[in-house]
Amino acid sequence: MADRKPVKVTEEQLEEQRQFMREVRALPQRPRSYFVVTYGCQMNAHDSEILAGMLRDMGMEEAHDRENADFVLFNTCCVRDNAERRALGNVTWLKEVRKRNPNLVIGVCGCMIQQPGMAEKIMKQYRFVDLAFGTSNLYRLPELLCRTLNSDRAVVEVEDEDTIAEDLPVRRLRQDAAYITIMYGCDNFCSYCIVPYVRGRERSRDMDDILREAETLRNSGVKEIMLLGQNVNSYGKGLEGGATFAELLRRLDDMDIPRIRFMTSHPKDLSDELIDVMRGSRHILPQFHLPVQSGSDEILRQMNRRYTREQYLNRVRALRDAVPGIGLTTDIIVGFPGETEEQFQDTMSLVKEVGYDSAFTFIYSPRKGTRAAAMDGQINEAVATDRIQRLIALQDQCQKEAMARFLGQEEEVLVEGLSRRSDKAVSGKGRHGVSITLPGTEEDVGQIVRVRVNEIKNNTLMAERL
Ligand code: 5AD
Ligand code: SF4
């Protein structure tokens, strides 16, 4: 792959986009309301917050649902086939809505569009789409929308540059918690994964820009920040002055933001320095998302993960030594090409050995253009389904056992909303990342509440207020 340099979007380019925002606002035919539909990971959720921020600055209000919006924008994911199919299914369904609202503008953006040939395919097969763009030119939404509204033809723009754009408007999903992207892209090329192809090469934001953003959020009363990146542990690579993720965390920890979390970490880049920072920190939460993907050395090698089962378990032990009771979560893929029953059993035994608080489990999905998609020994669906069911059942059991350590313990909950089961209860996440339900009302939302856990119900911790 050609050597690509990250491109920081200049102030002039941003000003140009602000000019387009003003132009859209002045157009009589502009949409009055928008709805952004998000698929995929937290990076996408945060991109959608930025898209919504720009749309509001163009004078649009958020619609209650997509049926009642003038502009519906699908921010897509392509990490697995089902994410892609779901997005395309929903885009097609919107064609019917347009029969009722002929002015409806339909846009599709994000990772799916960034795949080679996809934009052309969308334009041929989904002729009712008005606007399509990728991940690297997201900041150009005002310009692209302006062109769409002034033309009868669809506007399609996909760029191959690795951009970093600062100071874009954001419409946050939550007032008490906020995302901060610290790095973009990924250089790991795990053999099954499409992300490096659609999100580009790894590039880190300047530490000062991140600290400035964190400070603004703290001053506005945000209680929790979530640092985002495909591989946050390699933050700083390519930056002048040798910044590291551990250093960034140390600086943020000194800032008095009550809660700091981050994801995702790659086990091979989890340094002792980072573990040390976690040991001595005040605000970094005692939780760690550490995707293992498989418990078999041979499958890990085929996946190009660049660690062994033993090295992974060593990191888990180091984390637990440094932060006793730390909440551990993971991602696991079953049915990778060539995976034998014995190798699957290695994954099962690893899950038992670690005892995760939760695990995101996936059936391997071949992605065109990745190395694994061309490998021999693709596993049939029935075998993969059977494996994932056994894995989920085991994890469910392990989760129950892991939850037991909270019984009788004090915790702090950042309340997210009313409980789904009762209007006299609220729920949120404890410091370890586990969901906790407690007595409360709407007024508690966004507050940090001290509780004692006294029961476990369906893998949720039930607590009383202190
Ligand atoms: N098939 C199945 N799961 C995948 N993931 C990434 N690529 C694939 C794929 N092709 C999973 C990995 C990753 C998570 C975000 O998605 O477990 O950690
Ligand atoms: Fe994909 Fe691997 Fe990069 Fe994660 S680390 S985004 S799984 S290539």
Side-chain angles (χ1 to χ4, degrees):
M1 192 154 291
D3 193 19
R4 308 198 313 190
K5 288 238 172 322
V7 180
K8 197 160 174 175
V9 177
T10 62
E11 182 47 37
E12 289 73 43
Q13 287 171 306
L14 290 174
E15 185 45 42
E16 200 183 359
Q17 293 305 316
R18 285 182 211 119
Q19 181 57 36
F20 280 113
M21 283 187 189
R22 290 188 278 274
E23 242 173 85
V24 171
R25 263 204 308 262
L27 284 176
Q29 75 274 32
R30 76 178 162 85
R32 305 287 144 158
S33 62
Y34 70 87
F35 195 83
V36 181
V37 186
T38 310
Y39 299 90
C41 63
Q42 276 92 350
M43 300 285 278
N44 263 18
H46 186 45
D47 281 350
S48 290
E49 291 184 326
I50 293 171
L51 292 165
M54 290 191 276
L55 292 168
R56 279 180 73 91
D57 282 5
M58 285 185 264
M60 290 170 226
E61 287 294 325
E62 184 174 19
H64 283 300
D65 49 47
R66 56 186 102 162
E67 285 89 344
N68 291 301
D70 298 332
F71 178 33
V72 180
L73 182 55
F74 290 89
N75 187 12
T76 60
C77 166
C78 58
V79 78
R80 284 171 295 276
D81 184 50
N82 53 3
E84 205 166 286
R85 269 199 316 236
R86 234 165 22 114
L88 288 175
N90 282 321
V91 173
T92 309
W93 170 81
L94 219 56
K95 196 168 127 186
E96 296 304 309
V97 178
R98 175 131 73 194
K99 289 188 183 143
R100 275 184 276 131
N101 178 5
N103 295 326
L104 173 67
V105 180
I106 302 175
V108 186
C109 69
C111 294
M112 195 175 91
I113 301 297
Q114 201 77 37
Q115 296 174 92
M118 186 50 108
E120 292 76 18
K121 179 180 156 185
I122 296 260
M123 287 305 134
K124 258 204 217 116
Q125 294 178 10
Y126 299 82
R127 288 181 176 273
F128 48 91
V129 171
D130 303 294
L131 166 65
F133 55 98
T135 51
S136 58
N137 53 0
L138 173 142
Y139 74 96
R140 286 178 54 216
L141 170 66
E143 173 187 352
L144 301 174
L145 183 59
C146 192
R147 275 177 28 208
T148 307
L149 296 172
N150 282 318
S151 142
D152 292 335
R153 301 189 48 176
V155 171
V156 186
E157 283 244 0
V158 186
E159 282 170 25
D160 209 16
E161 266 183 354
D162 294 333
T163 51
I164 300 182
E166 294 292 342
D167 297 320
L168 296 175
V170 181
R171 168 143 172 88
R172 293 209 316 270
L173 290 167
R174 283 174 60 180
Q175 291 315 302
D176 55 332
Y179 295 123
I180 301 183
T181 303
I182 63 165
M183 52 90 67
Y184 302 87
C186 182
D187 285 351
N188 284 322
F189 291 94
C190 300
S191 62
Y192 51 82
C193 185
I194 192 87
V195 168
Y197 302 92
V198 295
R199 286 272 180 185
R201 298 288 64 72
E202 249 174 56
R203 55 221 186 260
S204 296
R205 287 177 66 195
D206 286 334
M207 198 182 287
D208 288 340
D209 289 333
I210 297 170
L211 295 173
R212 213 163 23 92
E213 186 174 346
E215 206 165 58
T216 310
L217 289 168
R218 177 199 62 193
N219 295 344
S220 74
V222 160
K223 300 211 167 69
E224 180 177 294
I225 58 172
M226 163 83 113
L227 309 175
L228 293 180
Q230 304 294 345
N231 183 12
V232 289
N233 304 121
S234 72
Y235 170 80
K237 208 167 93 182
L239 283 183
E240 278 172 32
T244 63
F245 183 52
E247 174 64 17
L248 174 65
L249 277 184
R250 208 177 285 126
R251 300 277 299 272
L252 288 166
D253 193 40
D254 285 341
M255 229 180 226
D256 276 336
I257 297 161
R259 295 162 64 123
I260 302 171
R261 310 160 63 193
F262 53 86
M263 75 187 309
T264 292
S265 296
H266 194 301
K268 79 172 164 52
D269 297 318
L270 204 189
S271 66
D272 289 336
E273 189 195 2
L274 171 58
I275 295 178
D276 259 357
V277 173
M278 292 199 67
R279 188 198 320 266
S281 79
R282 290 180 298 154
H283 304 297
I284 300 160
L285 295 182
Q287 51 176 271
F288 216 103
H289 183 62
L290 195 61
V292 65
Q293 313 297 0
S294 167
S296 148
D297 281 343
E298 177 54 22
I299 294 294
L300 287 171
R301 206 175 60 76
Q302 295 287 338
M303 286 177 161
N304 192 31
R305 290 292 287 176
R306 287 174 280 174
Y307 54 82
T308 62
R309 173 192 178 103
E310 192 41 43
Q311 283 165 338
Y312 180 90
L313 290 171
N314 170 294
R315 295 290 78 187
V316 168
R317 282 191 289 269
L319 280 169
R320 284 192 161 142
D321 282 349
V323 187
I326 190 168
L328 288 177
T329 55
T330 199
D331 293 347
I332 300 171
I333 297 175
V334 303
F336 185 81
E339 184 189 64
T340 63
E341 174 62 25
E342 199 183 340
Q343 289 165 336
F344 169 66
Q345 286 303 331
D346 289 338
T347 298
M348 295 283 273
S349 69
L350 180 130
V351 163
K352 234 191 229 161
E353 190 166 340
V354 175
Y356 295 104
D357 285 340
S358 70
F360 299 92
T361 51
F362 308 105
I363 290 180
Y364 166 73
S365 167
R367 304 282 69 204
K368 211 167 140 205
T370 61
R371 260 201 309 122
M375 285 180 184
D376 292 337
Q378 303 283 326
I379 304 288
N380 83 46
E381 209 181 307
V383 172
T385 306
D386 174 60
R387 285 182 189 166
I388 201 166
Q389 282 167 353
R390 283 186 281 152
L391 178 62
I392 291 170
L394 173 69
Q395 172 51 28
D396 212 48
Q397 190 52 41
C398 294
Q399 190 164 335
K400 276 200 182 72
E401 288 161 23
M403 296 292 105
R405 76 184 186 284
F406 293 108
L407 271 178
Q409 298 296 311
E410 289 185 15
E411 253 285 9
E412 262 175 24
V413 184
L414 175 56
V415 177
E416 282 172 38
L418 285 175
S419 154
R420 267 176 291 155
R421 293 204 187 85
S422 148
D423 57 1
K424 292 191 183 65
V426 290
S427 66
K429 295 261 164 56
R431 289 172 58 79
H432 296 78
V434 177
S435 291
I436 300 182
T437 298
L438 56 138
T441 64
E442 192 79 56
E443 281 183 5
D444 295 312
V445 175
Q447 304 298 321
I448 293 177
V449 180
R450 286 203 64 76
V451 299
R452 187 189 314 282
V453 177
N454 46 25
E455 199 190 339
I456 304 170
K457 241 192 208 166
N458 305 324
N459 282 350
T460 299
L461 303 179
M462 311 299 289
E464 60 184 357
R465 300 173 81 113
L466 290 177

